[in-house]
Amino acid sequence: MRNRRKYSVANFKMNKTRSETVDFLDKLNSLIDTVPKTVLVVCPPITSLGAEFPVDKIWIGVQNINSNESGAYTGEVSIKMIDSHANFVILGHSERREYFNESNEEINKKLITVLKYKLEPILCIGETLKQRKNNEVQKTLKKQLSKCLQNVDSNVIIAYEPVWAIGTGETATSEIIVEAHQMIRNILNDIGFDGEKISILYGGSVNRNNAKELITLDDVDGFLIGGASLDVEHFYDIYKFIEESF
Ligand code: PEP
């Protein structure tokens, strides 16, 4: 029997002011009437950190950090600054790889910094449409995992997010997700981890219409949700499907 934690992670991206985040969390907190079995994480913009949140049932995460602990990096935020305000850090999101040229090597440095400060990284990996069409899924995932996890010996949460499914409304099929998640577990085994122990989330146009079916897939340990997480009732419905899947 599998013994992995399940997650429902909201990635607000560059959306919601501080007061909108507080309203969202207050509402979400009031909708949850039992102690969640699902690890429920909300990642607002960094400007929302430090506000009074109802965080007994909900964990807070951030969407990025700089790999350095301090220094002359104008406009950047270090782990020390978010340390007591968040428990999770999304790393390697495809939007950061694409728009901010984040390399696997840079993501690896960030990951090591996050682990040093005992926060939990959520490492995003996934292939582009071109890589899928060229039969390069395995090669891409292997490269991302082995480079991002170099010199890392603790288990980290992985989010499989095919780039072509993020924000496009085009969810990957169950077959594609199962195949990719199994591939990821095998690669993790090959590079020295115990793949069976690592939670792998799916991300890419998850919504309340597809979440119920996707969470029944054996290898799916929850979701990383962008667009659909901005509406609190929508996010709550997805969380409920995960909760009911235990
Ligand atoms: C994401 O931002 O990680 C994501 C999966 O976005 P969306 O759910 O909008 O596709």
Short mmCIF file of all heavy atoms in Angstrom, two decimals, residues 6-28:
data_model
loop_
_atom_site.label_atom_id
_atom_site.label_comp_id
_atom_site.label_asym_id
_atom_site.label_seq_id
_atom_site.Cartn_x
_atom_site.Cartn_y
_atom_site.Cartn_z
N LYS A 6 -0.65 13.40 0.27
CA LYS A 6 -1.29 14.02 -0.89
C LYS A 6 -1.39 15.52 -0.67
O LYS A 6 -1.63 15.97 0.46
CB LYS A 6 -2.70 13.43 -1.09
CG LYS A 6 -2.69 11.98 -1.54
CD LYS A 6 -4.09 11.57 -1.95
CE LYS A 6 -4.20 10.06 -2.04
NZ LYS A 6 -5.56 9.62 -2.37
N TYR A 7 -1.28 16.26 -1.74
CA TYR A 7 -1.20 17.72 -1.66
C TYR A 7 -2.22 18.40 -2.57
O TYR A 7 -2.50 17.90 -3.66
CB TYR A 7 0.18 18.19 -2.12
CG TYR A 7 1.31 17.74 -1.23
CD1 TYR A 7 1.83 16.44 -1.35
CD2 TYR A 7 1.86 18.58 -0.28
CE1 TYR A 7 2.86 16.02 -0.54
CE2 TYR A 7 2.90 18.16 0.54
CZ TYR A 7 3.39 16.88 0.41
OH TYR A 7 4.41 16.46 1.21
N SER A 8 -2.69 19.55 -2.10
CA SER A 8 -3.42 20.45 -2.98
C SER A 8 -2.73 21.80 -2.87
O SER A 8 -2.76 22.43 -1.81
CB SER A 8 -4.88 20.55 -2.52
OG SER A 8 -5.61 21.31 -3.43
N VAL A 9 -2.06 22.21 -3.93
CA VAL A 9 -1.22 23.42 -3.87
C VAL A 9 -1.77 24.48 -4.82
O VAL A 9 -1.93 24.22 -6.02
CB VAL A 9 0.25 23.09 -4.25
CG1 VAL A 9 1.13 24.33 -4.12
CG2 VAL A 9 0.80 21.94 -3.41
N ALA A 10 -2.05 25.66 -4.27
CA ALA A 10 -2.52 26.78 -5.09
C ALA A 10 -1.33 27.66 -5.44
O ALA A 10 -0.59 28.09 -4.56
CB ALA A 10 -3.54 27.60 -4.31
N ASN A 11 -1.16 27.93 -6.73
CA ASN A 11 -0.13 28.86 -7.18
C ASN A 11 -0.85 30.09 -7.75
O ASN A 11 -1.38 30.05 -8.85
CB ASN A 11 0.73 28.19 -8.27
CG ASN A 11 1.74 29.14 -8.88
OD1 ASN A 11 2.00 30.20 -8.33
ND2 ASN A 11 2.31 28.76 -10.02
N PHE A 12 -0.84 31.17 -6.96
CA PHE A 12 -1.56 32.38 -7.41
C PHE A 12 -0.82 33.11 -8.54
O PHE A 12 -1.37 34.02 -9.13
CB PHE A 12 -1.73 33.37 -6.25
CG PHE A 12 -2.79 32.99 -5.24
CD1 PHE A 12 -2.98 33.76 -4.09
CD2 PHE A 12 -3.62 31.90 -5.43
CE1 PHE A 12 -3.95 33.44 -3.16
CE2 PHE A 12 -4.60 31.57 -4.50
CZ PHE A 12 -4.76 32.34 -3.35
N LYS A 13 0.44 32.75 -8.77
CA LYS A 13 1.29 33.47 -9.74
C LYS A 13 1.27 34.96 -9.38
O LYS A 13 1.26 35.29 -8.20
CB LYS A 13 0.81 33.22 -11.17
CG LYS A 13 0.59 31.73 -11.46
CD LYS A 13 0.45 31.43 -12.91
CE LYS A 13 0.02 29.99 -13.09
NZ LYS A 13 0.31 29.45 -14.40
N MET A 14 1.23 35.87 -10.36
CA MET A 14 1.27 37.30 -10.02
C MET A 14 -0.17 37.84 -9.96
O MET A 14 -0.57 38.73 -10.71
CB MET A 14 2.09 38.07 -11.07
CG MET A 14 2.56 39.43 -10.58
SD MET A 14 3.69 40.22 -11.72
CE MET A 14 2.64 40.61 -13.10
N ASN A 15 -0.94 37.25 -9.05
CA ASN A 15 -2.33 37.64 -8.88
C ASN A 15 -2.62 37.78 -7.39
O ASN A 15 -2.04 37.07 -6.58
CB ASN A 15 -3.27 36.56 -9.45
CG ASN A 15 -3.14 36.45 -10.95
OD1 ASN A 15 -3.49 37.36 -11.69
ND2 ASN A 15 -2.60 35.33 -11.42
N LYS A 16 -3.52 38.66 -7.07
CA LYS A 16 -4.06 38.94 -5.73
C LYS A 16 -3.15 39.86 -4.90
O LYS A 16 -1.96 39.62 -4.73
CB LYS A 16 -4.33 37.66 -4.92
CG LYS A 16 -5.47 36.83 -5.51
CD LYS A 16 -6.02 35.86 -4.49
CE LYS A 16 -6.96 34.86 -5.15
NZ LYS A 16 -8.22 35.47 -5.59
N THR A 17 -3.81 40.91 -4.39
CA THR A 17 -3.15 41.82 -3.45
C THR A 17 -3.13 41.14 -2.09
O THR A 17 -3.74 40.08 -1.90
CB THR A 17 -3.95 43.12 -3.33
OG1 THR A 17 -5.24 42.77 -2.79
CG2 THR A 17 -4.13 43.82 -4.66
N ARG A 18 -2.46 41.81 -1.17
CA ARG A 18 -2.37 41.26 0.19
C ARG A 18 -3.77 41.07 0.80
O ARG A 18 -4.09 40.03 1.36
CB ARG A 18 -1.58 42.28 0.99
CG ARG A 18 -1.17 41.91 2.38
CD ARG A 18 -0.42 43.14 2.91
NE ARG A 18 -0.07 43.02 4.29
CZ ARG A 18 1.09 42.55 4.73
NH1 ARG A 18 1.99 42.12 3.90
NH2 ARG A 18 1.35 42.52 6.02
N SER A 19 -4.66 42.08 0.64
CA SER A 19 -5.98 41.94 1.26
C SER A 19 -6.82 40.88 0.53
O SER A 19 -7.62 40.17 1.15
CB SER A 19 -6.71 43.28 1.34
OG SER A 19 -6.94 43.77 0.06
N GLU A 20 -6.62 40.74 -0.77
CA GLU A 20 -7.34 39.67 -1.49
C GLU A 20 -6.87 38.28 -1.02
O GLU A 20 -7.66 37.35 -0.92
CB GLU A 20 -7.12 39.81 -3.01
CG GLU A 20 -7.90 40.97 -3.61
CD GLU A 20 -7.48 41.33 -5.04
OE1 GLU A 20 -6.39 40.92 -5.50
OE2 GLU A 20 -8.24 42.06 -5.70
N THR A 21 -5.57 38.17 -0.74
CA THR A 21 -5.05 36.89 -0.23
C THR A 21 -5.66 36.59 1.14
O THR A 21 -6.08 35.45 1.42
CB THR A 21 -3.51 36.93 -0.12
OG1 THR A 21 -2.96 37.16 -1.41
CG2 THR A 21 -2.96 35.62 0.42
N VAL A 22 -5.72 37.60 1.99
CA VAL A 22 -6.29 37.40 3.33
C VAL A 22 -7.76 36.97 3.20
O VAL A 22 -8.20 36.01 3.86
CB VAL A 22 -6.16 38.69 4.19
CG1 VAL A 22 -6.91 38.54 5.51
CG2 VAL A 22 -4.69 39.01 4.44
N ASP A 23 -8.51 37.63 2.33
CA ASP A 23 -9.94 37.27 2.13
C ASP A 23 -10.05 35.81 1.66
O ASP A 23 -10.90 35.06 2.13
CB ASP A 23 -10.59 38.16 1.06
CG ASP A 23 -10.82 39.57 1.59
OD1 ASP A 23 -10.66 39.77 2.81
OD2 ASP A 23 -11.14 40.45 0.77
N PHE A 24 -9.20 35.45 0.71
CA PHE A 24 -9.21 34.08 0.18
C PHE A 24 -8.98 33.07 1.30
O PHE A 24 -9.71 32.09 1.45
CB PHE A 24 -8.11 33.96 -0.89
CG PHE A 24 -7.99 32.60 -1.53
CD1 PHE A 24 -8.52 32.36 -2.78
CD2 PHE A 24 -7.32 31.55 -0.88
CE1 PHE A 24 -8.40 31.09 -3.38
CE2 PHE A 24 -7.20 30.30 -1.48
CZ PHE A 24 -7.74 30.07 -2.73
N LEU A 25 -7.95 33.34 2.12
CA LEU A 25 -7.59 32.37 3.16
C LEU A 25 -8.66 32.31 4.25
O LEU A 25 -8.96 31.23 4.78
CB LEU A 25 -6.22 32.71 3.75
CG LEU A 25 -5.06 32.38 2.79
CD1 LEU A 25 -3.78 33.07 3.21
CD2 LEU A 25 -4.85 30.88 2.69
N ASP A 26 -9.24 33.45 4.57
CA ASP A 26 -10.34 33.46 5.56
C ASP A 26 -11.50 32.61 5.06
O ASP A 26 -12.07 31.80 5.78
CB ASP A 26 -10.84 34.90 5.80
CG ASP A 26 -9.93 35.64 6.76
OD1 ASP A 26 -9.21 34.96 7.52
OD2 ASP A 26 -9.93 36.88 6.74
N LYS A 27 -11.85 32.80 3.78
CA LYS A 27 -12.98 32.07 3.20
C LYS A 27 -12.66 30.57 3.13
O LYS A 27 -13.49 29.73 3.51
CB LYS A 27 -13.24 32.64 1.80
CG LYS A 27 -14.39 32.02 1.05
CD LYS A 27 -15.72 32.67 1.43
CE LYS A 27 -16.94 31.88 1.01
NZ LYS A 27 -17.23 31.90 -0.39
N LEU A 28 -11.46 30.25 2.67
CA LEU A 28 -11.07 28.84 2.56
C LEU A 28 -11.11 28.18 3.93
O LEU A 28 -11.65 27.07 4.10
CB LEU A 28 -9.66 28.74 1.95
CG LEU A 28 -9.11 27.35 1.71
CD1 LEU A 28 -10.01 26.56 0.75
CD2 LEU A 28 -7.69 27.40 1.14
#
